[in-house]
Amino acid sequence: MTRGFSVIFFGVLVWFCERTKAADNPNIFLIVADDLGWNDVGFHGGNQIPTPNIDALAYNGIILNSHYVQSTCTSSRSALFTGKYSFRLGMQGDSIKAAEKRALPEGKLMPQYFKDLGYETHLVGKWHLGASKWNETPAARGFDHHFGFFNEFISYYDYLSTWRYNDKDFTGFDLRRDGEPAFDEVGKYSTDVFTDHAVKTIENNDVNKALFMTIAYNAAHAANEGKPLEAPQETINNFKHIADSNRRTYAAMISKLDDGIGALVEALDKKGMLPNSVIVFISDNGAPTVGLSRNWGSNYPLRGIKDTLFEGGVRGAAFIWSPLLVQSARVSTDLVHITDWLPTLYSAANGDIGAVDPDLDGIDQWSSLVYDLPSPRNDILINIDEKTRNAALRFYNWKLIVGTSQNGTYNEYYGDTVLDNIEEPSYNTSAIYESPAGRAIRKVNYTPLTEPEYEGLRATSTLKCLPPKAKKNPCDPASGAVCLYDIPSDACEENDLAKYFPSVVRRMKRALVDYRQGLVPQADQEIDIENADPKLFKYTWNPWVDCSDSTCPSPNIG
């Protein structure tokens, strides 16, 4: 054997061993943005808010253009961690409020599956699945460590959360490090704080132990009344092209989120973990452009906002990136639901899918994603809410909507209201290529994308409404009508086809009736503010059932 051939053979052997190692126990990173608008990431066509790190990962991975979530925070997180439709859990309605005695029902959650595979499990950021008792908090539900907050929202610098009950405000601190209040973080910007904690966890990780981490940012959920949106002023100053001051701050919040994701990818690269990692990015629901918890996000051109079952509320920005994906750098229009991530990521971690709860609604899509095979999913039950009598279903290309939420107040188009009369900057593909994520990706991608290829993928993933002269037939379910849309050709839900395809309507209504048999009714929203009052716990939001005052510490339940 010649010396030259030996060198080549050794190089191939090293490459093969690295690839074999990469297929064993990959590190899993699940990034959840909060109330992010469809149009507020560059890869969907928006120029107003540059997101170079997010875009770099999306283009070099798989953009999931038909990724569906629930329409509110708690219901989406319930579906994510259980792999079950939220209506099977009684979590299909309003999100959990502070001081409310309601929590995710007992059952095995995603982090517990990964613990079974030997992973170290971390939750950074938002929980929002119940915290009236310590055994409802992350440490009792499968996470080895939690650094974050229990309730729906916090302010971005002082970590306070204010709720109004009986015409009185109740304010408490809500940031914890493994159960203990993290007062030392006050004054630091929360997006940076969560990123820094995740980065330090990566830096300190034992490379012989696989890592499962959910980073659930509070960006860009609105915080307390009076200062719902917050970001560093130097970042806000980068968006002087945006006239509306609230939208300008929102843009800065998304920019900081993007910076954080770039820092995470850099940390993985420096630690040598990037070639053996899977990164999933999702939004928990659409942006509330107007109305309750308004954050000035844009779901353009989609109809509806958060807490509606139109596309703007339930079609979330999402992608997956990993060197383990054989067929990447593409836009997928296959149906994917938030429940799919439990079995899909478990399969990616080489778990025996037969060990997963057979009653899951989620479908293992790992092979379909890796090899660009046809998706095994052809329908999605978007939601059934027995209180509002609102339901929606995707079946192949069709979408059926019955009933409405909030009396139909937010069933129209709002995303363009924050985009009017603004001279947007041009799309900067060089910034994507040279972003921290872009640079790190090129080290593990043997055929890195070029800037023109970015533009091609972006054009494919950008949704367009029907042409102005196209036939349109408006439908508003608030009037009692049943609305039917052909979503691949009518993503903006402008042309109701119910009267033209009555057999499709009948079939889908029967499917809703069948699904309805498995519905678990929503529990009453019992607000126990007398016992949960933060002043009883040194002005922190604290589990209060079986606790009477601040002497009730976090038990060792990890």
Side-chain angles (χ1 to χ4, degrees), residues 72 74 90-103 128 152 163 165 292 307 385-388 521-529 544:
T72 57
T74 293
M91 309 298 284
Q92 62 271 29
D94 292 339
S95 289
I96 295 174
K97 300 175 177 63
E100 184 179 350
K101 281 185 175 180
R102 185 161 58 104
H128 202 197
E152 182 175 5
W163 294 77
Y165 299 124
L292 187 66
D307 202 21
D385 189 321
E386 78 282 12
K387 290 187 176 181
T388 62
Q522 300 168 57
D524 291 334
Q525 298 179 4
E526 181 185 351
I527 304 297
D528 186 20
I529 190 59
W544 70 94

Side-chain angles (χ1 to χ4, degrees), residues 48 55 70 119 135 172 181 221-222 272 326 353 420 444 458 469 553:
Q48 204 174 87
D55 291 3
Q70 304 303 121
Y119 278 72
N135 63 9
H221 196 294
V326 175
I353 204 66
D420 288 344
V444 298
R458 187 181 195 231
K469 295 183 179 180

Side-chain angles (χ1 to χ4, degrees), residues 280-462:
V280 172
F281 174 89
I282 65 172
S283 176
D284 63 343
N285 42 250
T289 310
V290 296
L292 187 66
S293 297
R294 180 183 188 183
N295 71 353
W296 283 264
S298 172
N299 302 312
Y300 180 85
L302 301 177
R303 182 178 179 182
I305 61 173
K306 175 181 178 177
D307 202 21
T308 75
L309 298 187
F310 286 100
E311 296 290 275
V314 297
R315 189 167 177 171
F319 64 78
I320 180 172
W321 177 90
S322 176
L324 305 179
L325 299 172
V326 175
Q327 297 292 332
S328 56
R330 60 188 176 90
V331 178
S332 171
T333 58
D334 288 340
L335 293 178
V336 181
H337 189 250
I338 192 169
T339 56
D340 295 340
W341 290 117
L342 193 159
T344 297
L345 295 177
Y346 189 74
S347 182
N350 300 303
D352 178 6
I353 204 66
V356 173
D357 185 347
D359 292 329
L360 294 190
D361 295 299
I363 295 174
D364 175 13
Q365 303 232 30
W366 181 242
S367 294
S368 302
L369 292 168
V370 171
Y371 301 110
D372 193 12
L373 299 174
S375 171
R377 181 179 280 285
N378 54 42
D379 73 320
I380 293 173
L381 190 284
I382 295 174
N383 200 29
I384 299 176
D385 189 321
E386 78 282 12
K387 290 187 176 181
T388 62
R389 300 182 181 275
N390 190 19
L393 174 70
R394 270 295 304 263
F395 180 68
Y396 290 94
N397 59 304
W398 299 108
K399 180 180 177 183
L400 186 79
I401 299 180
V402 179
T404 192
S405 59
Q406 302 186 54
N407 298 314
T409 305
Y410 302 114
N411 286 351
E412 298 308 318
Y413 303 86
Y414 298 97
D416 56 350
T417 62
V418 293
L419 304 176
D420 288 344
N421 303 317
I422 294 173
E423 184 178 342
E424 296 183 346
S426 59
Y427 193 59
N428 190 347
T429 54
S430 296
I432 299 168
Y433 192 80
E434 293 300 333
S435 67
R439 291 194 300 269
I441 286 170
R442 291 200 295 277
K443 297 179 183 179
V444 298
N445 187 348
Y446 295 105
T447 56
L449 296 182
T450 62
E451 292 181 34
E453 287 175 310
Y454 293 160
E455 293 280 12
L457 289 166
R458 187 181 195 231
T460 303
S461 66
T462 299

Side-chain angles (χ1 to χ4, degrees), residues 147 157 159 173 175-177 180-188 193 200:
F147 176 72
Y157 283 101
Y159 304 93
F173 182 80
L175 181 68
R176 292 178 179 268
R177 184 182 291 109
E180 296 300 320
F183 295 116
D184 56 304
E185 303 293 352
V186 171
K188 303 173 188 176
V193 167
K200 289 175 183 176

Side-chain angles (χ1 to χ4, degrees), residues 31-101:
I31 303 171
V32 184
D34 202 340
D35 288 6
L36 175 69
W38 175 268
N39 193 52
D40 294 327
V41 289
F43 69 82
H44 276 156
N47 287 351
Q48 204 174 87
I49 308 174
T51 52
N53 293 287
I54 289 172
D55 291 3
L57 288 166
Y59 293 142
N60 287 278
I62 304 171
I63 297 172
L64 304 173
N65 246 30
S66 296
H67 183 269
Y68 283 85
V69 294
Q70 304 303 121
S71 64
T72 57
C73 300
T74 293
S75 55
S76 271
R77 291 159 208 274
S78 299
L80 175 65
F81 286 137
T82 65
K84 296 181 180 181
Y85 290 138
S86 57
F87 80 94
R88 299 193 194 279
L89 306 164
M91 309 298 284
Q92 62 271 29
D94 292 339
S95 289
I96 295 174
K97 300 175 177 63
E100 184 179 350
K101 281 185 175 180

Side-chain angles (χ1 to χ4, degrees), residues 438-497:
R439 291 194 300 269
I441 286 170
R442 291 200 295 277
K443 297 179 183 179
V444 298
N445 187 348
Y446 295 105
T447 56
L449 296 182
T450 62
E451 292 181 34
E453 287 175 310
Y454 293 160
E455 293 280 12
L457 289 166
R458 187 181 195 231
T460 303
S461 66
T462 299
L463 298 177
K464 296 179 175 61
C465 294
L466 294 174
K469 295 183 179 180
K471 182 178 180 181
K472 300 177 184 178
N473 184 29
C475 179
D476 186 359
S479 67
V482 174
C483 306
L484 180 71
Y485 302 102
D486 180 2
I487 294 298
S489 62
D490 181 20
C492 301
E493 297 168 293
E494 298 177 292
N495 188 30
D496 174 37
L497 300 173

